[in-house]
Amino acid sequence: MSREDRTETACRICGYDDGDAVFNEYGVPQYVICPCCYNESGIGDDNVSQVRELRG
């Protein structure tokens, strides 16, 4: 798997995906605000329990 393949482009909360990186190939958040749910990548979506809480 190449580094480019590990780039995340979908919001971890709502799944919105416009193709822009929200987490780079190293897993570092880019602090992008999702235009759909307004969550900022890297803030509160670091682990599964935080994502579940925000989705609820």
Side-chain angles (χ1 to χ4, degrees), residues 2-8 23-28:
S2 71
R3 288 186 189 157
E4 185 175 309
D5 293 339
R6 294 185 293 194
T7 300
E8 288 184 51
F23 287 85
N24 70 14
E25 64 271 15
Y26 301 105
V28 177

Side-chain angles (χ1 to χ4, degrees), residues 11-15 23 34 37-56:
C11 175
R12 290 181 175 179
I13 307 306
C14 70
F23 287 85
C34 176
C37 69
Y38 304 109
N39 184 68
E40 185 172 0
S41 61
I43 308 294
D45 60 357
D46 299 336
N47 60 52
V48 174
S49 62
Q50 290 175 324
V51 170
R52 286 182 180 157
E53 185 177 326
L54 286 170
R55 285 181 180 175

Side-chain angles (χ1 to χ4, degrees), residues 13-34:
I13 307 306
C14 70
Y16 179 82
D17 188 353
D18 62 1
D20 292 335
V22 291
F23 287 85
N24 70 14
E25 64 271 15
Y26 301 105
V28 177
Q30 301 302 294
Y31 300 101
V32 176
I33 296 175
C34 176

